Amino acid sequence: MTRSWWGWGTVEEAVTGAELEALLGRVRMLAPGDLTGHEPPDVSALGLPAPRVSAPTALADLCSADPADRAGHAHGKAFRDVVRNLHGELRHVPDLVARPRRERDLVDLLDWCARDGIAAIPYGGGSSVVGGIEPRFEDDRAAVTIDLGRLDRVLEIDPVSRAARIQAGVFGPRLEDQLRPSGLTLRHFPQSFEFSTLGGWLATRAGGHYATLRTHIDDLVESMRVVTPSGINESRRLPGSGAGPSPDRLFLGSEGALGVITEAWMRLQERPRWRATAAVHFADHAAAVAATRAVAQSGLHPANCRLLDSAEALVNAGVVVGGGVLILGFESADHPVGTSLDRAEELCRDHGGEIRAGTAREGTSDTWRSSFLRMPYQRDALARHSVIAETFETACTWDRYEDLHHAVTQAARDAVRKATGQDGVVTCRFTHVYPDGPAPYFGVYAPGRWGSTVAQWDEIKAAVSGAITDNGGTITHHHAVGRDHRPWYDIQRPDPFAAALTAAKAALDPTGILNPGVLVPAP
Ligand SMILES: Cc1cc2nc3c(=O)[nH]c(=O)nc-3n(C[C@H](O)[C@H](O)[C@H](O)COP(=O)(O)OP(=O)(O)OC[C@H]3O[C@@H](n4cnc5c(N)ncnc54)[C@H](O)[C@@H]3O)c2cc1C
């Protein structure tokens, strides 16, 4: 398989043929526009500037100046990244890509960067959707991207406490492959699982596929080892601790700005043996939301509790329904889960939900799952045909949900009309639900204009981010802050905390080389 330099995943898995025709057919019905296809440019035609630095001799064999390597590490994998790649618009490219083989190499690389004032960007799978790995700075300093892909091993498994010591650069599938013989699993499955790493998940506080309880990677961490320019920070393995503020909490979500995570002890679980799923149809969206809240507050803790609104159900699961579909799933390694599903279904029926016995128990959730994994490939195919197809996400408390949903949907629709002159489609689903609120995830699909879709999307994104912030939501539930969410993160974050974070950055990274501009202003 060949990794795509410009888009998601591998070249071989790209959407082509009948799948592409069907996709474009659906788009023509929903949002007609100019759907001419455009080929991605060849890396040799990009005309990248020569690297501004060269590695010291002792580090030279860790560093690559290969144009394909540099281009492939320049942008993350958001819609705006993919489109800029398609246009050959690579304004900020790392000068070198370094691949440490061991922790000592990493220490030497950081020493060199600190000495010469070079920015160092920690890099896992490069699946950031918030400009987290892009060497875009206020000044024009040189940048070395530190790709941790060679640190990809499970080093130790403790079957008694059920935990494993794992290197940060391991991708999801290879991580699970190494755990499989032990019968244990990390059970963290973000949509980007195949092409993102443990270190990236920790550094962005990623959200997995499971809808309740341990939703974020944070909940699975026992201890972490982080290399900072000021020294190595390793926390103690503990099941819980009340000893002051948690050191791990400082580095979780630190987005490469405070240190480079090299390994972590992660909590494992047995692989589930019992499963039960159902799809519940609702005629009314408010009733569907009320039912979802009842399940979230019931203490049943479903593994999946994903409410799709009617537009999302139609676009991504092919289901026509007035108020939405709630996909429920329970699983356990220890006991049958049928009774939990029965009780959740009862709660849904109380709110007018209709359980589609037989086909729906399997059908909708399976259709949804396979479409879920194809979504990023389809997004890229749409981008090649000038369709704006992007998502954004948040979380809020239940009491604010209705207002937030209304304001954000309206802001998205108005912004699409203003930016494109046409009506687009705005969808919403809950990716995670908590007893005190949901994490709504919105999709926007609109016909764009080739050459302008990034500017059009940026306009829409600014409008929806403002609506989220004004209505009590967080600028991100799990996509992280990066460079693109900074303006709204700065509003959301309390000032004393901003001062403390800036001081922490100065203490850990005194020369300000680590991912400058992410989380706090570059010094
Ligand atoms: C199609 C698609 C689906 C996605 N689905 C999800 C999802 O379901 N849930 C979710 O949470 N996110 C999702 N994302 C966003 C992205 O996958 C996550 O943010 C992921 O955690 C990034 O991991 P990565 O290894 O690719 O990190 P990268 O993109 O390489 O880096 C992300 C950030 O972490 C820093 N970083 C990376 N590795 C380290 C390290 N070892 N030490 C210190 N800092 C480091 C980088 O500097 C950067 O700031 C999705 C993205 C795409 C494109």
Side-chain angles (χ1 to χ4, degrees):
M1 293 286 201
T2 321
R3 276 298 292 274
S4 165
W5 80 263
W6 63 271
W8 183 247
T10 65
V11 174
E12 292 79 5
E13 291 286 316
V15 174
T16 53
E19 187 185 4
L20 179 61
E21 281 316 308
L23 181 67
L24 294 177
R26 286 209 298 280
V27 172
R28 262 183 216 106
M29 275 191 326
L30 292 170
D34 175 10
L35 294 180
T36 308
H38 300 270
E39 287 301 314
D42 196 83
V43 171
S44 59
L46 294 175
L48 300 186
R52 292 163 293 178
V53 289
S54 52
T57 317
L59 299 174
D61 67 334
L62 302 177
C63 296
S64 157
D66 174 57
D69 236 356
R70 294 173 62 212
H73 285 77
H75 292 156
K77 292 292 180 284
F79 172 78
R80 67 191 313 284
D81 300 323
V82 167
V83 175
R84 285 181 300 158
N85 288 346
L86 285 171
H87 284 94
E89 219 180 88
L90 280 81
R91 298 217 179 107
H92 309 279
V93 181
D95 293 271
L96 297 173
V97 177
R99 293 188 171 83
R101 282 174 300 231
R102 56 186 79 85
E103 196 175 270
R104 183 69 243 171
D105 295 341
L106 178 61
V107 171
D108 294 341
L109 283 164
L110 292 183
D111 281 350
W112 164 48
C113 289
R115 209 171 45 241
D116 288 7
I118 301 167
I121 304 192
Y123 186 102
S127 68
S128 168
V129 285
V130 292
I133 48 90
E134 185 175 339
R136 187 191 341 143
F137 316 124
E138 276 163 25
D139 52 23
D140 65 349
R141 70 174 89 183
V144 173
T145 291
I146 303 184
D147 183 327
L148 293 145
R150 282 175 169 170
L151 304 180
D152 66 349
R153 282 181 308 127
V154 172
L155 299 170
E156 252 178 280
I157 296 179
D158 169 356
V160 177
S161 315
R162 287 214 307 224
R165 183 159 72 95
I166 308 174
Q167 289 185 307
V170 68
F171 282 73
R174 186 161 154 71
L175 191 170
E176 287 294 336
D177 285 350
Q178 291 177 77
L179 294 178
R180 195 162 290 110
S182 68
L184 299 170
T185 171
L186 180 61
R187 197 177 174 272
H188 178 76
F189 302 114
Q191 189 187 20
S192 53
F193 174 75
E194 272 178 284
F195 300 106
S196 57
T197 63
L198 175 64
W201 301 339
L202 295 166
T204 60
R205 301 183 61 201
H209 178 68
Y210 295 100
T212 65
L213 284 181
R214 286 163 284 207
T215 54
H216 284 80
I217 193 78
D218 318 18
D219 306 318
L220 306 174
V221 177
E222 208 173 60
S223 79
M224 280 162 69
R225 186 171 167 93
V226 187
V227 174
T228 79
S230 297
I232 291 177
N233 189 92
E234 183 163 17
S235 57
R236 184 174 289 206
R237 277 189 70 197
L238 289 168
S241 169
S246 154
D248 294 339
R249 290 265 157 200
L250 180 64
F251 290 104
L252 284 164
S254 59
E255 302 194 20
L258 301 182
V260 185
I261 301 158
T262 52
E263 55 186 67
W265 274 97
M266 301 297 298
R267 300 186 176 116
L268 306 178
Q269 300 167 58
E270 281 180 31
R271 290 176 183 274
R273 293 167 54 207
W274 281 274
R275 287 197 176 82
T277 64
V280 189
H281 287 208
F282 291 89
D284 174 65
H285 189 61
V289 172
T292 308
R293 176 160 69 87
V295 175
Q297 294 177 339
S298 66
L300 289 166
H301 305 308
N304 199 354
C305 187
R306 198 173 289 264
L307 177 62
L308 318 183
D309 76 359
S310 53
E312 179 79 31
L314 181 65
V315 172
N316 285 317
V319 174
V320 180
V321 61
V325 182
L326 177 60
I327 299 174
L328 286 169
F330 289 86
E331 55 178 57
S332 169
D334 181 71
H335 50 264
V337 288
T339 50
S340 298
L341 180 63
D342 290 345
R343 175 62 189 140
E345 289 181 350
E346 202 174 358
L347 288 168
C348 291
R349 271 193 219 98
D350 290 348
H351 290 87
E354 201 184 307
I355 320 302
R356 297 298 176 94
T359 52
R361 271 198 170 232
E362 302 278 316
T364 311
S365 44
D366 284 356
T367 311
W368 161 257
R369 194 178 151 62
S370 43
S371 116
F372 183 66
L373 296 175
R374 287 304 284 161
M375 278 175 198
Y377 288 105
Q378 294 184 342
R379 188 265 325 253
D380 288 3
L382 292 175
R384 285 173 63 171
H385 292 80
S386 313
V387 179
I388 297 168
E390 182 55 306
T391 59
F392 60 94
E393 40 87 58
T394 182
C396 64
T397 47
W398 288 111
D399 59 303
R400 305 199 72 151
Y401 170 69
E402 200 180 321
D403 288 347
L404 180 137
H405 179 256
H406 177 74
V408 170
T409 308
Q410 200 54 47
R413 290 201 178 119
D414 292 348
V416 167
R417 207 167 301 123
K418 188 158 167 262
T420 69
Q422 295 197 51
D423 289 331
V425 176
V426 181
T427 68
C428 180
R429 63 181 191 256
F430 293 168
T431 54
H432 304 83
V433 289
Y434 302 91
D436 51 344
Y441 187 99
F442 295 87
V444 176
Y445 307 89
R449 206 173 38 254
W450 185 248
S452 305
T453 48
V454 169
Q456 290 174 318
W457 168 250
D458 285 349
E459 215 179 300
I460 298 163
K461 173 76 178 176
V464 296
S465 300
I468 284 173
T469 306
D470 292 349
N471 285 276
T474 171
I475 190 58
T476 174
H477 171 264
H478 57 264
H479 278 173
V481 176
R483 293 179 171 77
D484 299 344
H485 282 154
R486 262 289 306 286
W488 298 278
Y489 174 65
D490 288 355
I491 296 170
Q492 180 175 332
R493 183 182 53 185
D495 289 341
F497 181 70
L501 196 56
T502 306
K505 166 94 175 158
L508 297 165
D509 178 22
T511 51
I513 52 160
L514 282 173
N515 220 356
V518 162
L519 293 184
V520 292

